[in-house]
């Protein structure tokens, strides 16, 4: 080989004689494996025939799949794995630059989204009068998840405590309001702070035993806690009506005015025509304001000593202790405040649905909320918004993709595939941006010049 | 392929980046078979980065690293290591929940198991302290003992090329001396090739056959250890004011 | 412990650390399962002192730190932190008896750290610490790191976040003050320019300083630093020394540090405590501890003689000189003369090696020649020894000075100095018994021949058997024992004191002798470890070891180049002096 003491020119992709040979060898190996595995899954088809199963060989499909694997692997080898200049490298170099641009875009987007959210109901009533109700309902749903995401972001993103049972606090909030309304005739506005308080209390109760744990153990125990709450709600029939759920949960009032048709209603009081959409618009603004409060408090807390202590805790707990920070209390406040916002969101959920049952608070909900936080970028508020819009909005959008039925046949229901698509999207985003969409961190105090901090610097805390 | 026996490791024009930040700006260096080569330089000069780049983590963006006649620039780390490069990384990356013995077994994972006892005895002779702690978990060792364990683990893999990143960091003077003596002995008796990154420039240059000085991702000087020790620039930057 | 506590208090009455301790560690024991990491340890940290805790790796230093800062709960013992002057013995006892964790008044306060959780130790008792493997908040900016350190006062100012959420002006003021304080420490540590960069981005040395700045931001009375100079280059270490002195002098903060860099320890420490295997082996002022043979054996390493032994040998020699009567005076002075070259040789040897390997061999030959035929030129030896004596004190300093200036004299030296050198050596050989280490008290008297000719008074105190020794080397002079790895000039001298002059004597040592010598020289186990006997056997046969080859080449600064003859030394240093 022409390696000598002097500088050797760097070999290009074709300069490496091993490259092609090795690539073909590797691709052949992959094709062989595909052949072996695919023989049973693709090559053989079983049909139900009279008198039993009928085996049918599908040689064509089998060979095509082998060829696809061979070609795909070969291309990957030649351009990514076995070359000196993989095309993905340029991609990743480009992306490291795009990080700051993305953050910049996030800033612009933030105000854009805020403005849009502010006028959203009227936008839809004006431009989509036919489907406004559906869209506003979707906006409410997305906004609920944004709020939940922001709440969980305090625990996972800032304090770095992986919580897989966040939905428990959502449930506590929802059931608090429902039960208070049912047994004590509380209205929404009175029950809302109580629900938050109760959820926070549960957060502390959960926190005490759990916060000694670290990492995976913490995650598992929070997961268990989430399930325990649901199972109790399910089985304590006398109190919660178990799987039957609680119905007839009162609607929120506008300073004592109900949003109903006729005498004494909102429309009647202001002398405007009643329209059922008014109730949706009202609900939308309630959750919008609740979410804004969540965001405002979180942003403020980040700049306060408690918020900095959370982030410091995520970075290095032992150092925190050496600086006189009571880590147990600090973790508990993170849990409690996160839980409180979950509780607010829960009682909103109850009033919006009018009916709740333990069905709504499964682990899947926790997973979705966590996925929103992780995809958005731990600790990033705007990231959560984008992720929530993409994920919740995206799933709903699948319902409207009628054209897919023309492609795949009338039996095709895209909604059936939503979890598949969901997972695929998640994998793609994580490959593209392993630390979430907005992964840079904004410092909470600045001396001269604000510089965003790259994701590779920022620790992820326990359980990641 | 291995007609050339002389140079074990040759680094040519290697550039390494962290994101957009340049860490190495075209580094050239050679390590010949049976040599102890040291790299000195200030903190943050890129010494450790070079060592990690040799091991493929991070990979060099430009340039070429040839080890034993093979281009390892873009090889994954595990393949590089399986070719006989052992590294004692900066920051003592031992397995904290494994015992000392288990850590050493991990080091010997790629070696013929029948040689294990012999190697173990050798390593314990070098670091009697580890023998005392054989069943203790790595994480419960003191900092200096962890450093010893990291070096011992690297030796257990019977490397052809040993990369040591600041082996003297956090060690008592007596132990530093033992480790440097041990490196010398391994080199003289078994012909082990050693590439050493050190802050302790005086001891490192005294030990090494040849040395390189790195400043800000560039190699600015090279020569035999003795030559470098004499150089005014080296003395001023890395030796004066310290103990030696 | 009992042996150690009495060790040394330099001269005047009670040292500061006993009179006005900011921290007292009393009978501290820490066990992990069956392992005793720290055993019944007592020491004090003086108010306004820089106290160094040194010892071999695994000696338990960091464990002590972790007990002091509350990261470990000690198995036994009391750790008292005092605010305010004096020992406050009454208050300490009162708090201990009361079962409280601490008691604080305007005048001062007493804190029993073993009763307090870690965060209270930092927050209330005002003990700050850093970590061996730097623990910064890497993803937070430098400024944020320093603000986190001021968490507790800021929490109060923010009304436990409620006032802060509402944006009360009092919190903004407090935050500004916190930033000012942070900037103050950033200026002290030269990090202001990097205030808005993430801490993980800083180079290693800056991170070390930032950790200290962060610890200072909690406003500590005691600052505990775990290996602050590890991984720093000499220049950075020097800066660190300045910083620590500044902290001590300007902020009246007491400093307790663990450090391996003896340059740092010896330069700035007022008080040094040495641990080995969890037990204190020495405690006292830096100079006193440095020359303690136990410390040298356990920690510093005897091979470092040329660098570290300097004051010991100087003192040693002075003492011997003072003890000697007229008849032996000349001899002992020669011993002193012999030592000075030992120190100055190092740079010279290195220089010659670097400059001219050819000159090196030429250099060694006349030496051997004179060494062989040198015996008894007392007159000249005496004269030269006296003149050397004056300069011997200066020699070590010279040895540390830049070496280039001496290069010329080094190479021209040999011819002129060889004769005197040889004479001095033979004179030293004539009175071996007097050249004994001062820290031990073995009286070397003429001994009955059946055991050893050298009689050590407390020979029976050591395990094993004293090896056979002769008062004089055989004809032709003793071997150059420094060709054995592990034996430097100081050890050679000690061995000569025992009547050991030749390789074959060492080669004949059995287990009992090895044990005895190991104990006598206070480094049990080292002879086996370094295989002196095996080396001696090879050398006695006239063979070579890898090490002896390096010695012969002059590559080993702590050994004496030259092969057979007795001690072919002196020459180079006199060259330097001339």
């Amino acid at each position: 080989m022409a390696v000598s003491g002097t500088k050797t020119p760097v070999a290009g992709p074709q300069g490496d004689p091993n490259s092609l040979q090795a690539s073909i060898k590797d691709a052949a190996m992959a094709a062989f494996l595909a052949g072996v595995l695919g023989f049973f899954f693709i090559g053989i088809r079983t049909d139900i025939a009279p008198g039993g199963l009928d085996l049918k060989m599908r040689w064509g499909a089998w060979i095509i799949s082998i060829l696809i694997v061979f070609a795909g692997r070969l291309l990957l080898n030649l351009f990514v794995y076995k070359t000196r200049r993989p095309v993905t490298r340029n991609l990743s170099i480009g992306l490291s630059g795009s990080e700051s641009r993305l953050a910049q875009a996030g800033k612009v987007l933030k105000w854009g989204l805020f403005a849009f959210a502010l006028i959203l109901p009227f936008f839809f009533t004006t431009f989509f009068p036919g489907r406004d109700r559906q869209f506003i309902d979707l906006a409410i749903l997305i906004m609920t998840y944004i709020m939940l995401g922001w709440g969980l972001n305090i625990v996972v993103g800032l304090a770095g405590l992986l919580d897989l049972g966040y939905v428990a606090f959502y449930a506590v909030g929802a059931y608090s309001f429902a039960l208070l309304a049912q047994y004590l005739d509380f209205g929404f506005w009175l029950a809302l702070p109580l629900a938050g308080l109760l959820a926070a209390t549960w957060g502390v109760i959960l926190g005490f035993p759990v916060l000694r744990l670290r990492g995976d153990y913490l995650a598992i125990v929070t997961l268990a806690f989430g399930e325990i709450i649901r199972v109790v709600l399910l089985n304590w029939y006398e109190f919660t009506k178990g799987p039957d759920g609680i119905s007839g949960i009162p609607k929120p009032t506008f300073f004592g005015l109900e949003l109903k048709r006729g005498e004494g209603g909102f429309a009647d009081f202001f002398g405007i025509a009643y329209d059922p959409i008014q109730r949706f618009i009202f609900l939308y603004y309630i959750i919008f304001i609740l979410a804004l409060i969540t965001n405002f408090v979180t942003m403020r807390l980040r700049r306060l000593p408690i918020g900095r202590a959370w982030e410091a805790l995520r970075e290095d707990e032992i150092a925190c202790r050496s600086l006189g920070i009571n880590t147990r209390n600090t973790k508990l406040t993170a849990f409690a405040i996160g839980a409180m916002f979950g509780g607010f969101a829960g009682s909103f959920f109850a009033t919006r649905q009018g009916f709740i049952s333990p069905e709504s608070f499964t682990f899947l909900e926790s997973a979705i909320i966590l996925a929103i936080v992780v995809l958005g970028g731990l600790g990033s508020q705007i990231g959560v918004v984008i992720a929530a819009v993409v994920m919740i909005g995206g799933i709903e959008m699948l319902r409207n993709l009628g054209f897919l039925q023309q492609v795949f046949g009338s039996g095709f229901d895209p909604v059936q595939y939503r979890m598949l698509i969901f997972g695929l999207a998640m994998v793609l985003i994580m490959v593209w941006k392993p630390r979430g969409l907005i992964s840079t961190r904004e410092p909470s105090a600045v001396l001269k010049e604000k510089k965003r901090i790259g994701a590779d610097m920022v620790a992820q805390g326990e359980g990641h | 392929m291995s007609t050339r026996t002389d140079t074990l490791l040759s680094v040519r024009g290697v550039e390494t980046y962290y994101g957009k930040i340049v860490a190495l700006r075209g580094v050239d260096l050679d390590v010949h078979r049976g040599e102890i080569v040291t790299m000195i330089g200030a903190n943050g000069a890129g010494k450790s980065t070079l060592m990690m780049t040799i091991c493929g983590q991070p990979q060099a963006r430009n340039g070429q690293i040839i080890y034993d006649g093979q281009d390892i620039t873009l090889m994954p780390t595990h393949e590089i290591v399986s070719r006989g490069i052992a590294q004692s990384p900066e920051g003592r990356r031992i397995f904290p929940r494994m015992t000392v013995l288990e850590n050493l077994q991990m080091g010997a994972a790629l070696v013929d198991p029948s040689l294990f006892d012999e190697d173990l005895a050798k390593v314990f002779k070098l670091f009697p302290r580890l023998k005392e702690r054989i069943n203790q978990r790595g994480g419960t060792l003191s900092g200096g003992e962890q450093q010893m364990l990291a070096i011992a683990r690297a030796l257990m893999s019977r490397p052809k090329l040993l990369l040591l990143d600041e082996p003297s960091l956090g060690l008592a003077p007596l132990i530093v001396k033992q480790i440097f003596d041990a490196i010398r002995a391994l080199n003289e008796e078994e012909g082990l090739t050693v590439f050493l990154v050190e802050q302790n420039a005086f001891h490192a240059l005294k030990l090494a056959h040849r040395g390189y000085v790195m400043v800000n991702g560039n190699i600015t000087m090279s020569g035999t250890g003795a030559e470098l020790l004499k150089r005014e620039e080296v003395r001023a930057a890395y030796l004066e004011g310290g103990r030696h | 412990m009992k042996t150690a506590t009495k060790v040394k208090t330099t001269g005047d009455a009670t040292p500061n650390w006993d009179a006005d301790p900011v921290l007292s560690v009393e009978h501290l024991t820490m066990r992990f399962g069956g392992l005793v990491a720290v055993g019944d340890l007592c020491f004090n940290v003086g108010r306004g002192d820089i106290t160094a805790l040194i010892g071999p790796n695994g000696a338990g230093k960091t464990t002590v730190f972790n007990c002091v800062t509350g990261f470990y709960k000690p198995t036994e013992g009391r750790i008292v932190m005092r605010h305010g002057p004096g020992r406050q013995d009454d208050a300490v006892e009162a708090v201990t008896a009361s079962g409280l964790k601490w008691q604080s008044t305007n005048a001062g306060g007493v804190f029993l750290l073993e009763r307090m959780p870690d965060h209270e130790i930092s927050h209330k008792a005002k003990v700050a610490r850093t970590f061996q493997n730097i623990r910064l908040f890497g993803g937070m900016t430098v400024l944020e790191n320093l603000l986190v350190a001021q968490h507790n006062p800021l929490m109060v100012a923010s009304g436990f976040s409620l006032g802060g959420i509402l944006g009360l002006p009092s919190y903004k003021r407090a935050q500004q003050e916190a930033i000012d304080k942070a900037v103050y420490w950033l200026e002290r540590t030269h990090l202001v320019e990097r205030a808005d960069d993430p801490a993980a981005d800083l180079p290693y040395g800056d991170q070390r300083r930032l950790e200290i700045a962060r610890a200072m931001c909690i406003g500590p009375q005691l600052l505990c630093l775990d290996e602050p100079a590890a991984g720093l280059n000499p220049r950075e270490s020097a800066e660190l020394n300045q910083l620590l002195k500044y902290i001590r002098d300007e902020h009246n903060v007491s400093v307790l540090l663990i450090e391996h860099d003896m340059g740092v320890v010896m330069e700035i420490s007022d008080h040094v405590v040495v641990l080995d295997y969890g037990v204190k082996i020495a405690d006292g002022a830096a100079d006193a501890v440095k020359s303690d043979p136990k410390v040298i054996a356990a920690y510093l390493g005897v091979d470092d003689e040329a660098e570290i032994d300097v004051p010991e040998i100087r003192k040693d020699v002075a003492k011997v000189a003072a003890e000697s009567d007229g008849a032996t005076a000349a001899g002992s002075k020669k011993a002193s003369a012999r030592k000075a070259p030992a120190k100055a040789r190092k740079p010279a040897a290195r220089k010659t090696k670097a400059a001219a390997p050819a000159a090196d061999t030429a250099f060694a030959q006349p030496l051997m020649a004179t060494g062989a035929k040198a015996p008894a030129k007392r007159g000249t030896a005496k004269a030269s020894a006296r003149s050397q004596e004056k300069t011997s004190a200066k020699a070590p300093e010279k040895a540390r000075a830049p070496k280039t200036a001496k290069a010329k004299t080094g190479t021209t030296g040999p011819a002129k100095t060889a004769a005197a050198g040889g004479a001095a050596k033979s004179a030293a050989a004539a009175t071996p018994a007097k050249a004994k280490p001062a820290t031990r008290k073995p009286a070397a008297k003429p001994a009955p021949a059946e055991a050893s000719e050298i009689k050590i008074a407390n020979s029976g105190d050591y395990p094993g058997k004293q090896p056979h020794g002769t008062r004089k080397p055989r004809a032709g002079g003793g071997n150059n024992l420094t060709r054995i790895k592990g034996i430097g000039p100081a050890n050679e001298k000690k061995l000569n004191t025992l009547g050991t002059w030749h390789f074959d004597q060492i080669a004949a040592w059995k287990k009992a002798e090895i044990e005895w010598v190991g104990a006598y020289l206070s480094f049990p186990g080292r002879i086996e470890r370094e295989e002196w006997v095996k080396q001696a056997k090879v050398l006695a046969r006239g063979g070579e070891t890898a090490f002896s080859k390096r010695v012969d080449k002059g590559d080993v600064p702590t050994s004496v180049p030259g092969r057979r003859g007795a001690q072919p030394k002196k020459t180079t240093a006199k060259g330097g002096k001339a």
Side-chain angles (χ1 to χ4, degrees), chain A residues 300 321 324 441 444 448 451, chain C residues 118 144 152 165 196-197:
Chain A
R300 263 284 159 86
R321 282 155 53 190
R441 177 182 172 271
S444 68
K448 289 182 190 119
K451 303 174 188 167
Chain C
D118 43 26
E144 284 179 297
N152 286 309
I165 290 178
D196 293 318
D197 289 328

Side-chain angles (χ1 to χ4, degrees), chain B residues 72-190:
Chain B
I72 58 166
T73 323
L74 297 171
M75 264 185 208
T77 305
H78 62 94
E79 278 185 35
I80 295 174
V81 170
S82 69
R83 283 171 163 72
I85 297 184
Q87 190 188 13
S88 157
E90 193 184 19
R92 310 160 183 166
R93 300 281 172 88
I94 55 154
F95 304 111
R97 294 187 188 192
M98 291 182 168
T99 65
V100 168
L101 184 63
E102 286 168 333
N103 265 281
L104 294 174
Q105 283 166 342
M106 292 307 291
L110 298 171
V111 180
D112 178 1
S114 64
L115 297 170
F116 182 75
D117 289 339
E118 182 192 325
D119 288 354
L120 193 68
K122 206 169 71 186
V123 159
F124 281 160
K125 200 177 136 221
L126 227 48
F127 304 111
R129 195 86 197 196
L130 291 180
K131 195 172 185 179
E132 296 169 28
R133 306 259 190 246
I134 186 162
N135 287 320
Q136 228 173 292
R137 285 187 180 200
T140 67
L141 298 179
S142 83
E145 288 164 347
Q146 294 187 8
Q147 180 75 59
M148 295 179 208
L149 181 55
I151 297 172
R153 188 181 59 188
L155 286 175
M156 288 302 286
S157 68
R158 297 201 153 211
K160 281 193 261 183
L161 173 63
L162 179 64
L163 305 179
L164 294 171
D165 199 346
E166 302 233 6
S168 74
L169 186 69
L171 293 179
L174 185 59
I175 306 290
V176 172
K177 195 182 314 297
Q178 277 175 23
I179 286 182
F180 278 65
D181 282 351
I183 295 170
R184 194 199 314 277
L186 287 166
N187 173 260
E188 284 174 1
E189 288 158 25
E190 301 179 15

Side-chain angles (χ1 to χ4, degrees), chain B residues 43 129 143 169-170 172 174 184, chain C residues 57-58 132 227 231 236 299 550:
Chain B
N43 281 313
R129 195 86 197 196
L169 186 69
L174 185 59
R184 194 199 314 277
Chain C
N57 298 106
Q132 204 175 87
E227 296 194 20
E236 290 169 326
Y299 179 58
R550 289 178 47 229

Side-chain angles (χ1 to χ4, degrees), chain A residues 286-408:
Chain A
I286 290 176
I287 188 67
F288 180 55
I289 287 164
L290 282 175
L292 278 187
I293 290 173
T294 310
N295 185 39
F296 173 79
V297 170
T298 311
M299 297 310 275
R300 263 284 159 86
L301 284 175
R302 265 203 76 208
R303 287 183 176 74
L304 288 175
I306 186 70
R308 273 198 288 267
W310 288 338
E311 292 200 76
L313 205 60
R314 177 190 67 200
E315 298 284 333
D316 193 324
E317 181 175 346
I318 289 177
C320 279
R321 282 155 53 190
S322 83
L323 297 175
I325 295 172
N326 185 332
T327 50
R328 189 195 57 204
N329 289 358
T330 307
K331 284 182 186 176
L332 279 180
T333 45
F335 251 77
I337 292 175
M340 183 178 79
F341 290 124
F344 288 153
S347 71
F348 172 80
F349 174 77
T351 196
R352 174 193 153 214
Q353 298 288 90
F355 165 80
I356 54 168
S357 80
E359 282 303 291
S360 316
F361 308 106
T362 56
F363 172 66
L364 186 64
E365 290 298 308
S366 281
I368 289 176
I369 302 164
L370 187 65
I372 288 173
V373 174
V374 172
L375 289 182
L378 292 174
S380 164
Q381 300 290 88
I382 186 71
V384 166
V385 176
I386 298 170
V389 170
V390 170
M391 289 189 48
I392 308 301
I395 289 171
E396 294 303 313
M397 282 303 146
L398 285 178
R399 296 184 200 281
N400 304 321
L401 298 178
F403 71 92
L404 285 176
Q405 290 187 351
Q406 280 150 21
V407 179
F408 291 97

